[in-house]
Amino acid sequence: MLGLIFGLCASSGCSNAQSMALKKIFIVYLSRTNNTKAIAEIIQRNVGRTLVALELEKPYPENYQQTVQQVVKENETSYLPPLKTKIDSIQNYDVVFVGFPTWDMKMPPPMKSFLHQYDLSNKTVIPFNTNAGYGVGSGFQTVKELCPDSKVLEGFCITGGVERDGVYFVIKDEKAKEAETEVKKWLQKIKVRE
Ligand SMILES: Cc1cc2nc3c(=O)[nH]c(=O)nc-3n(C[C@H](O)[C@H](O)[C@H](O)COP(=O)(O)O)c2cc1C
């Protein structure tokens, strides 16, 4: 049936965005202070579909400096923290949005756990990120490295909180509206939305 829809779509000259609308979209994200969560929810509002937050078997400390120290060690030893979140239907999805904050100028270890644990081969993978203003670092490159058999599209990056300085959730009010405009532009550019 789906093949028929895609076939009809191709013969009637549907745009990529329209054919993307027929695909099954999954959004997975990691968020500690809700900025990446806010972007994930904007994406969900604009493309719909399933939204899942990654949770750990053993959460990071509440203390920021302790968390930084733990993350640095985990990166040094390539430790993959076990996930509490279990996803049993990833094979049913064609497109997977993958959202994470920058930690230590890298992809956070829990998102590495997710990409190691779940096979996204032959799927379209679309990364997004929030950070304290220093950018995504090596995060999007790591998505490509951990998804060698996926089609990885251009990622979206926006400034979020600065937990180090006590600035936590910022993607609200005016900033949320600006973020929504930016996200929509990006979704159009990568042809996930008309
Ligand atoms: C452990 C840790 C390390 C971080 N390292 C960086 C970093 O290297 N560069 C950066 O720009 N922001 C860094 N940040 C800030 C977060 O990327 C930023 O606050 C982000 O918006 C948080 O997203 P969240 O609210 O979804 O958790 C770090 C935050 C934490 C908790």
Side-chain angles (χ1 to χ4, degrees), residues 115-169:
L115 293 177
H116 273 276
Q117 196 173 331
Y118 292 95
D119 181 11
L120 305 184
S121 301
N122 304 316
K123 299 184 192 303
T124 299
V125 173
I126 312 179
F128 61 101
N129 163 269
T130 74
N131 59 75
Y134 300 95
V136 66
S138 55
F140 289 167
Q141 186 54 36
T142 302
V143 174
K144 286 190 188 151
E145 286 164 13
L146 296 181
C147 304
D149 299 315
S150 312
K151 184 177 178 190
V152 181
L153 301 190
E154 180 189 325
F156 175 82
C157 206
I158 193 166
T159 303
V162 190
E163 192 176 334
R164 186 189 60 193
D165 300 341
V167 180
Y168 301 104
F169 179 53

Side-chain angles (χ1 to χ4, degrees), residues 29-38 60 63-72 99-106 108 129-137 158-164 167-171:
Y29 68 92
L30 175 79
S31 189
R32 179 175 156 92
T33 48
N34 292 335
N35 294 289
T36 313
K37 179 183 181 197
Y60 285 93
N63 180 278
Y64 172 75
Q65 286 303 342
Q66 280 175 10
T67 304
V68 171
Q69 282 166 20
Q70 186 176 325
V71 166
V72 168
F100 51 89
T102 304
W103 283 5
D104 188 24
M105 291 316 287
K106 297 178 179 67
N129 163 269
T130 74
N131 59 75
Y134 300 95
V136 66
I158 193 166
T159 303
V162 190
E163 192 176 334
R164 186 189 60 193
V167 180
Y168 301 104
F169 179 53
V170 300
I171 303 188

